[in-house]
Amino acid sequence: MRTKIVAGNWKMNKTLAEAQSLTSEIIGMVADEVKGNVKVVLCTPFPYLHAVNNQLGNNNRIAVGAQNCSEHDWGAYTGETSAAMLAAMNIPYVIIGHSERRQYFGEDGALLAKKVDKALAQGLTPIFCCGEPLEIREKGTHEALVKQQVEESLFHLSAEGLQKVVIAYEPVWAIGTGKTASSQQAQDMHAVIRKHIASKYGAIAENISILYGGSVKSDNAKELFACADVDGGLVGGASLKSREFVEIVKAI
Ligand code: PEP
């Protein structure tokens, strides 16, 4: 049975005090809502990881995650944070390859493959993002591009390694735009990704959680999460408001 995950990506938002209030509210509200095979992940800005992780304590429903990590372990890389540092702080999740990292920081498939390796080597769970820009969707080559993104950054892994990765399909045209993929568009692409993984790795493709991201809100989450191959969501804007985020969690 695949783990269902709702991950909030706070991006570069909130002061420390606001981050702590948001965390407290989510802890309070999620306690009774998360049942069974469901995990909630709060991907906070780097400076707040330690405080939020401490706030969560031994909470076995909610975990903290980083939004990026370096492809290096240690050394003269000013401004960077390594997977080794995150592991030493007991941070269990890390987003890798978010479209904003690809777009604004020039991260490509080969670099992301190295980041995935570093995260796995440190025992972190990478939440690997893929997804097509609008012009590719309009050209009709979106399936080919997403398959290529998955292949470039994940297909060097062993089956054992791949099973530790969570994938997030996030069509770029739906991120922060208020425009959501229809549940059919999401299901179709998730099935394509799973089938592509199965073509190389066989039955383990069935064990991999594939999340949908792109303007997920409380009023569309239920329909998206009901799709057979959608195992939860990566939520940006709507994860910054506790009530809205918890409504999304409830939808799973
Ligand atoms: C994201 O940043 O991963 C995201 C999906 O953002 P939003 O929910 O705001 O579209």
Side-chain angles (χ1 to χ4, degrees):
M1 194 187 179
R2 296 196 286 270
T3 308
K4 305 274 184 189
I5 298 170
V6 179
N9 176 12
W10 294 1
K11 310 193 187 190
M12 196 174 72
N13 289 297
K14 305 279 179 196
T15 63
L16 174 60
E18 288 165 350
Q20 291 184 294
S21 300
L22 179 58
T23 304
S24 299
E25 288 163 18
I26 292 171
I27 292 171
M29 286 192 258
V30 153
D32 301 325
E33 304 298 346
V34 186
K35 299 189 178 75
N37 201 24
V38 176
K39 198 100 201 170
V40 175
V41 183
L42 308 179
C43 296
T44 80
F46 282 121
Y48 310 152
L49 286 169
H50 186 61
V52 169
N53 208 19
N54 281 350
Q55 259 181 290
L56 293 173
N58 293 327
N59 195 311
N60 58 5
R61 292 292 185 204
I62 314 176
V64 73
Q67 298 172 14
N68 180 31
C69 71
S70 169
E71 70 276 28
H72 303 288
D73 287 324
W74 307 100
Y77 302 102
T78 302
E80 289 291 274
T81 301
S82 70
M85 291 173 176
L86 297 173
M89 290 169 66
N90 299 315
I91 307 301
Y93 290 86
V94 58
I95 297 174
I96 292 179
H98 190 280
S99 62
E100 288 152 16
R101 302 285 326 167
R102 291 177 190 260
Q103 190 181 342
Y104 305 138
F105 302 94
E107 298 193 356
D108 63 13
L111 176 79
L112 299 175
K114 289 186 195 161
K115 293 188 175 202
V116 167
D117 288 345
K118 291 296 178 190
L120 289 174
Q122 295 296 333
L124 307 183
T125 300
I127 302 176
F128 174 76
C129 301
C130 54
E132 79 286 358
L134 185 60
E135 62 272 20
I136 297 288
R137 168 66 64 166
E138 285 173 346
K139 261 201 329 205
T141 52
H142 44 290
E143 291 185 2
L145 179 79
V146 170
K147 277 159 62 175
Q148 186 192 331
Q149 289 172 332
V150 168
E151 225 171 282
E152 280 174 355
S153 304
L154 299 181
F155 272 23
H156 64 290
L157 296 173
S158 65
E160 197 195 341
L162 188 79
Q163 286 194 88
K164 294 177 182 151
V165 176
V166 171
I167 295 175
Y169 166 60
E170 300 203 303
V172 179
W173 46 272
I175 297 180
T177 58
K179 210 172 167 187
T180 319
S182 68
S183 52
Q184 192 59 55
Q185 287 172 319
Q187 168 56 29
D188 288 349
M189 186 62 92
H190 284 225
V192 163
I193 294 169
R194 202 177 300 288
K195 214 165 140 201
H196 195 45
I197 293 171
S199 72
K200 177 170 164 76
Y201 293 93
I204 67 154
E206 286 304 314
N207 305 335
I208 292 172
S209 299
I210 307 179
L211 317 183
Y212 168 79
S215 298
V216 176
K217 306 238 164 21
S218 57
D219 58 8
N220 59 25
K222 216 174 187 120
E223 194 184 331
L224 287 161
F225 296 167
C227 298
D229 286 290
V230 176
D231 305 307
L234 180 54
V235 184
S239 72
L240 296 171
K241 294 188 195 113
S242 56
R243 205 163 288 282
E244 176 70 4
F245 183 63
V246 173
E247 284 303 312
I248 294 169
V249 172
K250 280 200 234 173
I252 204 136

